[in-house]
Amino acid sequence: MRSNNMVAMILAGGRGTRLFELTSKVAKPAVNFGGKYRIIDFPLSNCANSDISTVGVLTQYESILLNSYVARDHYWGLDTNDGGVYVLTPREKAQADFEVYQGTADAITQNIDFLDSIDPEYVLILSGDHIYKMNYAKMLGYHKVKGADATIAVLEVPMKEASRFGIMNTDKDNRIVEFEEKPANPKSNLASMGIYIFTYKTLRKYLIEDAKNKESKHDFGHDIIPQYIESGKNLFAYQFKGYWKDVGTIDSLWEANMDLLNTNNELDLADNTWKIYTEDVNALPQYIGPDAEVENSYITEGCVIEGCVKNSVLGTNVKVAKGARVIDSVIMPGTVIGENANVTRCIVAENMKIKDGAKYGHKKSEHIELVAKSGK
């Protein structure tokens, strides 16, 4: 039975400035990952696998590609009679001038009419730019058992890194008693994952009140969650056990791709019990030339490999010419690596043409090099 009493709202409008040229013309959730996927495939697939039939995707920045992509809801099996994927962009309304989304809470507030038209009992708020697998139905079951007004997914992080996150301090029953945004001296290591389940009737009231507050940042972490705590509402932490990665930087995006090559990979994209769905690209089978050398790598459909590829992730229709070496790198779809070129510890953007003999990156480099412009 599908979870029609819960609607998912995916916040997918961020600029993703720390991914530099990768997001200059594309929203971060539409960035390629793992050879054949886009980042937003993960929350959408999680929704499909959790039997959530109605999903709103809130887009804003450079949204043309993302809008057209998520509108094809059949990719994730969400093209149902009682649901679907709805693209929700900022829009001009009769009572106000056109306004972009001012914060995470404001994005939901501006779409209260959409939620009201569905009249859900629960609302699931997600980010569109994290890599993970999660059963939201189990989280909803926990929310119901606890009689919660809001449930926040949390992940244990190393205590030395806790000051980088929004931290939930809980009692022995996992009731949230305090929320600290990036505390200098954290009291716990339970980091918010930006995944929330709210009982909609209560959330609606708080969102409308927040919209009237001119001092508010209209953000869930900064404004809505603290209001719930101050008002004595039932907030509970739901502890997530599993792989989760915020791929907001070049280094973290590279690390998440490299994690796929680990024999103990927790994400496991080959797991048929929890599939990650994506666009079925019409490409020829991969071709590995007679003199090619391939070791511990993802080679996606349409690739032509005549050189050396080691410990790397290659997207659809990538070509590696004779004598070329691709080591510890992520090569995005449509890129051509020229003869005798050398690419090491890099992310190479889509449709790049790497010149013959060009050299990018270094095996001892501390940070990953982004190759998004022709040259060298």
Side-chain angles (χ1 to χ4, degrees):
M1 181 178 178
R2 301 186 76 85
S3 302
N4 290 315
N5 61 346
M6 183 162 74
V7 172
M9 302 287 274
I10 302 179
L11 303 171
R15 287 178 176 267
T17 54
R18 292 177 299 166
L19 291 177
F20 304 100
E21 288 92 343
L22 291 181
T23 51
S24 62
K25 296 295 181 182
V26 175
K28 182 163 65 167
V31 169
N32 290 284
F33 175 81
K36 63 182 293 184
Y37 304 94
R38 295 187 187 274
I39 295 171
I40 200 165
D41 286 330
F42 289 82
L44 284 170
S45 296
N46 288 337
C47 286
N49 291 327
S50 301
D51 288 331
I52 298 171
S53 60
T54 303
V55 181
V57 180
L58 286 68
T59 65
Q60 182 166 284
Y61 170 77
E62 289 292 354
S63 60
I64 292 176
L65 187 153
L66 181 60
N67 289 352
S68 62
Y69 184 71
V70 301
R72 299 166 187 168
D73 47 11
H74 62 279
Y75 291 167
W76 308 276
L78 293 169
D79 52 335
T80 63
N81 291 332
D82 58 351
V85 178
Y86 297 82
V87 179
L88 304 172
T89 60
R91 62 196 189 279
E92 187 173 3
K93 299 180 181 179
Q95 70 272 26
D97 294 331
F98 175 83
E99 291 185 356
V100 296
Y101 295 144
Q102 300 299 312
T104 54
D106 178 62
I108 304 300
T109 303
Q110 288 199 40
N111 288 286
I112 278 182
D113 52 351
F114 167 75
L115 290 169
D116 286 347
S117 71
I118 300 168
D119 192 26
E121 189 172 354
Y122 306 101
V123 177
L124 169 68
I125 311 294
L126 304 170
S127 173
D129 53 12
H130 297 155
I131 302 295
Y132 66 109
K133 292 180 179 180
M134 185 175 183
N135 190 332
Y136 305 133
K138 287 186 177 180
M139 183 175 172
L140 177 59
Y142 177 89
H143 179 87
K144 291 178 178 179
V145 167
K146 290 293 188 180
D149 295 301
T151 298
I152 301 171
V154 297
L155 185 73
E156 290 187 356
V157 298
M159 202 67 186
K160 63 182 180 181
E161 296 180 14
S163 60
R164 296 173 42 223
F165 298 90
I167 295 297
M168 301 294 164
N169 298 320
T170 64
D171 64 16
K172 62 182 180 180
D173 194 37
N174 283 329
R175 182 187 297 272
I176 297 170
V177 296
E178 184 182 22
F179 171 72
E180 297 180 289
E181 181 64 38
K182 298 181 180 179
N185 299 296
K187 300 172 186 175
S188 85
N189 66 337
L190 296 178
S192 171
M193 298 170 65
I195 298 171
Y196 315 110
I197 291 179
F198 291 97
T199 300
Y200 180 54
K201 184 177 179 180
T202 305
L203 175 64
R204 190 182 191 281
K205 173 178 175 289
Y206 275 82
L207 288 176
I208 290 173
E209 289 177 356
D210 179 74
K212 298 174 183 177
N213 182 0
K214 295 182 179 180
E215 302 299 318
S216 174
K217 293 183 178 179
H218 311 300
D219 180 79
F220 278 106
H222 191 273
D223 303 290
I224 302 299
I225 300 302
Q227 280 296 315
Y228 267 66
I229 295 172
E230 290 173 17
S231 301
K233 293 298 181 184
N234 290 324
L235 268 74
F236 285 89
Y238 177 79
Q239 291 199 35
F240 174 72
K241 304 291 185 181
Y243 184 92
W244 179 87
K245 195 86 166 183
D246 181 348
V247 288
T249 66
I250 295 299
D251 284 2
S252 63
L253 179 60
W254 178 85
E255 288 168 2
N257 275 276
M258 292 298 106
D259 287 343
L260 298 175
L261 305 176
N262 190 322
T263 54
N264 297 318
N265 169 29
E266 291 183 275
L267 191 61
D268 189 10
L269 296 180
D271 179 10
N272 285 324
T273 65
W274 199 271
K275 290 185 178 180
I276 301 300
Y277 302 97
T278 190
E279 179 182 13
D280 185 12
V281 177
N282 185 15
L284 293 171
Q286 59 180 239
Y287 171 76
I288 310 297
D291 298 320
E293 184 180 356
V294 178
E295 181 181 311
N296 191 39
S297 296
Y298 266 30
I299 310 295
T300 314
E301 299 100 315
C303 287
V304 176
I305 312 299
E306 296 182 298
C308 174
V309 178
K310 292 185 178 181
N311 203 50
S312 295
V313 176
L314 273 58
T316 310
N317 294 324
V318 167
K319 293 178 173 57
V320 179
K322 291 181 179 180
R325 293 178 60 82
V326 177
I327 312 296
D328 299 333
S329 293
V330 178
I331 314 297
M332 293 191 171
T335 287
V336 176
I337 311 292
E339 289 188 9
N340 300 312
N342 195 314
V343 177
T344 303
R345 286 179 61 83
C346 292
I347 292 180
V348 182
E350 282 189 84
N351 301 315
M352 290 292 298
K353 308 295 182 186
I354 303 298
K355 296 179 180 179
D356 294 352
K359 292 186 178 181
Y360 290 92
H362 192 277
K363 64 181 180 180
K364 294 184 179 180
S365 177
E366 181 179 353
H367 294 290
I368 302 307
E369 182 174 347
L370 171 63
V371 183
K373 295 179 180 179
S374 299
K376 296 189 182 179

